[in-house]
Amino acid sequence: MATAMTEGLLNQIYPQLARQDSNNKTALICSVEGEPHQVGAKMVCDILEMAGWESFFLGANTPTFELIAFAHENHPDLIGLSMSSYFNLMGLKKMINAMRAEFADLPIIIGGQGLLTNGEDIANQFAHVYYVENLAALNEFLQSNSL
């Protein structure tokens, strides 16, 4: 119930968010396969849209093959993967490896509560994967990287 209430409040304030002009960049954001939590990933989409991005929110428990198919159809500039439970770490790694096989240089950001203790270490295991600890760090990442 708390998640539904939070999402309802986010949906109510969404139209009032200040947005920058479009930067003609696209992001695909989702929770990793097996991950039922999606509020953080949805908030990442909102931050991206405020920064001028077009974002596609694929939701919780996104199958890897669906993410890859959607990426082939939409040619994103960035992928975002959220993981709230540490138990989904293998799913996160599987998803990153699958994305790397299809899109070798596409930047991927990872974040979520399940990565608080080892997010940087996980990101460093892969090329072009960046750990974003929180929404403030996401803003810094967007400002400091020329994606």
Side-chain angles (χ1 to χ4, degrees):
M1 186 164 90
T3 298
M5 291 171 61
T6 300
E7 288 179 331
L9 290 170
L10 289 171
N11 289 336
Q12 283 182 351
I13 64 168
Y14 179 79
Q16 300 166 18
L17 296 176
R19 291 178 178 74
Q20 295 178 7
D21 291 336
S22 174
N23 62 13
N24 297 314
K25 294 185 183 211
T26 304
L28 303 182
I29 309 297
C30 66
S31 297
V32 300
E33 196 165 348
E35 178 62 60
H37 300 96
Q38 67 181 29
V39 173
K42 179 65 177 113
M43 292 170 72
V44 167
C45 282
D46 292 346
I47 295 294
L48 287 165
E49 289 181 3
M50 289 171 54
W53 290 67
E54 179 179 10
S55 64
F56 293 97
F57 177 58
L58 304 182
N61 191 21
T62 301
T64 302
F65 73 92
E66 291 288 347
L67 175 63
I68 290 171
F70 202 86
H72 276 295
E73 291 173 15
N74 293 280
H75 311 286
D77 299 289
L78 178 69
I79 298 286
L81 303 175
S82 176
M83 187 188 87
S84 292
S85 172
Y86 182 77
F87 297 109
N88 290 316
L89 183 58
M90 294 311 297
L92 172 69
K93 289 181 177 184
K94 174 186 160 195
M95 216 170 211
I96 293 171
N97 282 320
M99 290 302 294
R100 279 294 153 257
E102 296 286 326
F103 310 96
D105 298 325
L106 182 62
I108 298 172
I109 56 172
I110 60 172
Q113 293 294 310
L115 293 167
L116 287 179
T117 59
N118 63 349
E120 197 70 44
D121 293 335
I122 300 300
N124 289 334
Q125 295 175 17
F126 302 94
H128 309 291
V129 174
Y130 308 94
Y131 171 60
V132 178
E133 182 179 6
N134 53 42
L135 297 178
L138 174 61
N139 275 320
E140 290 176 21
F141 175 81
L142 293 173
Q143 292 173 3
S144 65
N145 288 283
S146 57
L147 298 174

